[in-house]
Amino acid sequence: MASTSVDWSDPVAPTAGILYPGHSAEDDYPELEAAFGDGTRLAVVHTEMREDAHRVDALLEVGGREVLAEGVRRLPPVEAVIWACTSGSFVFGYDGAAEQVAKLRAVAGVPASSTSFAFLRAAEHLGVRRVAVAATYPADVAGLFAEFLRAGGVRVLRCASRGIVTAAEVGTLTDEQVCEFAAANDHESAEAVLLPDTALHTVGVLEELERRLGKPVLTANQVSAWEVLRLAGDGRSRDGFGTLFRSSHGG
């Protein structure tokens, strides 16, 4: 993956666009924004989700070109934008997800990415090559995420599925359930554990997850925020949001 050269020496608080499908754990973003307390804005726009289902046909529709273009039209002026939906990007396959991002970038006129590529970028940034995946999705969809990671050069040592069909149900999991699910599906040789669903509330438990597992934990809303801020030119280290945010982009 090509790297972008950015001067991190004089960061300015950006406005970053978050395209988020439906309603489930989008409150992770204002929670991050408030915790940063530095003027950074994570502007969330809800994109159309006609059917709430972690099923391939439904996910292809959720991540469709016109759906994302309509979301972009409702954004305020932003320095970068991210399609904050892992399954609605990796379901297209690696090349299809790359094409999706390219089209999003063309429509938005600013740097763009998706949560799927944010996971790859975060892993690359941390030097992570071996991971365990704890996915809330049904098994077939979880398997597609593992295939995407492998296509991006990341070795998947374990890929667990919780079998939840709807984002609405995922959003109801408690902090303790999230921590237990991640811990139960770690692998001793994994350098990090990945939780790929943006419908999963994780911002409030990032530090607890890493304390329990003793290694970096990458979650969908975390990597989405990190990636879009990186693209917007904000590479500051931030405490309280896991190893990824503590690690400076410029370091």
Side-chain angles (χ1 to χ4, degrees):
M1 297 172 63
S3 298
T4 302
S5 178
V6 178
D7 180 7
W8 307 113
S9 60
D10 186 23
V12 176
T15 297
I18 312 291
L19 299 183
Y20 189 95
H23 298 266
S24 47
E26 70 275 14
D27 46 332
D28 269 4
Y29 295 99
E31 182 175 343
L32 279 171
E33 182 180 287
F36 292 162
D38 57 11
T40 297
R41 185 181 178 199
L42 299 173
V44 177
V45 163
H46 297 276
T47 58
E48 183 180 20
M49 184 168 63
R50 293 181 184 175
E51 182 180 5
D52 180 6
H54 288 132
R55 200 179 63 241
V56 171
D57 62 325
L59 293 169
L60 290 171
E61 186 174 10
V62 164
R65 180 178 182 177
E66 289 306 315
V67 173
L68 300 190
E70 173 58 26
V72 167
R73 286 190 281 270
R74 291 186 282 117
L75 281 171
V78 296
E79 280 74 63
V81 62
I82 191 160
W83 168 224
C85 182
T86 328
S87 57
S89 47
F90 69 70
V91 74
F92 289 86
Y94 187 94
D95 292 340
E99 182 180 1
Q100 181 188 60
V101 167
K103 290 177 178 177
L104 178 59
R105 184 185 307 115
V107 170
V110 295
S113 188
S114 70
T115 307
S116 293
F117 283 107
F119 272 110
L120 291 180
R121 179 69 70 179
E124 178 186 51
H125 177 71
L126 295 178
V128 166
R129 287 291 175 265
R130 302 184 307 277
V131 305
V133 172
T136 48
Y137 315 128
D140 62 331
V141 176
L144 292 176
F145 181 55
E147 289 179 13
F148 177 88
L149 293 173
R150 293 182 185 111
V154 174
R155 185 180 175 193
V156 180
L157 302 180
R158 177 181 176 88
C159 182
S161 163
R162 198 176 179 100
I164 300 178
V165 175
T166 68
E169 182 179 351
V170 172
T172 67
L173 295 179
T174 66
D175 289 351
E176 183 58 27
Q177 286 175 313
V178 172
C179 290
E180 288 178 354
F181 181 55
N185 293 291
D186 190 8
H187 186 285
E188 62 181 9
S189 297
E191 298 167 311
V193 175
L194 278 53
L195 280 66
D197 198 343
T198 59
L200 191 66
H201 288 96
T202 59
V203 164
V205 292
L206 289 169
E207 294 295 324
E208 175 63 13
L209 281 165
E210 294 199 345
R211 186 191 68 78
R212 289 201 194 186
L213 275 68
K215 64 183 64 175
V217 177
L218 301 177
T219 76
N221 290 327
Q222 173 207 38
V223 300
S224 295
W226 178 87
E227 170 80 334
V228 76
L229 290 175
R230 181 189 72 82
L231 292 173
D234 186 343
R236 288 171 287 180
S237 298
R238 291 176 166 96
D239 291 327
F241 313 105
T243 300
L244 180 64
F245 266 102
R246 282 195 299 274
S247 177
S248 170
H249 292 294

